[in-house]
Structure formats: structure tokens, C-alpha cells
Amino acid sequence: MVIIGIVMMAYTGFNYVTTEKVVDFGPIQVNKEVNHPINWSPIVGIVLAVGGIVLIVSSKKKD
């Protein structure tokens, strides 16, 4: 969780591209690349990192 939280703080999103067919007229095809952004708040990364640290500290107290 800590590593994922740090990565989510550093990178606040990513994009993925899909291809959509716009025109299909016999042998002629026109495709369009569509960009789909996925974004999240860096606060989510902070919460994950802190939660992971709390889990590590609480597991060490039991020993």
C-alpha cells in the first residue's frame, strides 16, 4: 500500500487510447483515436501511504 500510495502521489493520472471506426465504406475505412484520461487526487495516494505505514507499525507492535 505504501508503494502504491507513493506512485499515486507522483502520477496523478494516466491516459489510454482506443480506436473507433468513423467511416466504413467498402475498402475505405477511417479510424479515429480517442484519448481517455483517468485522473485521481493526490490525496488518495497520501491516504494509501499513511494507511500502509499504520498497518506496518501496528503489525510490529504485536510482536
Side-chain angles (χ1 to χ4, degrees), residues 12-25:
T12 58
F14 64 93
N15 296 321
Y16 69 94
V17 179
T18 58
T19 303
E20 293 180 358
K21 192 179 298 185
V22 178
V23 176
D24 187 6
F25 186 68

Side-chain angles (χ1 to χ4, degrees), residues 3 55 58 60:
I3 294 171
L55 286 174
S58 66
K60 288 187 178 184

Side-chain angles (χ1 to χ4, degrees), residues 1-10 45 48-49 52-53 56:
M1 280 178 56
V2 175
I3 294 171
I4 293 172
I6 292 170
V7 169
M8 287 182 75
M9 284 187 289
L48 282 174
I53 292 170
I56 291 171

Side-chain angles (χ1 to χ4, degrees), residues 21-55:
K21 192 179 298 185
V22 178
V23 176
D24 187 6
F25 186 68
I28 299 172
Q29 293 183 355
V30 177
N31 294 325
K32 174 183 168 186
E33 290 186 351
V34 179
N35 193 17
H36 301 280
I38 305 291
N39 296 315
W40 55 80
S41 173
I43 295 172
V44 175
I46 294 169
V47 169
L48 282 174
V50 169
I53 292 170
V54 167
L55 286 174

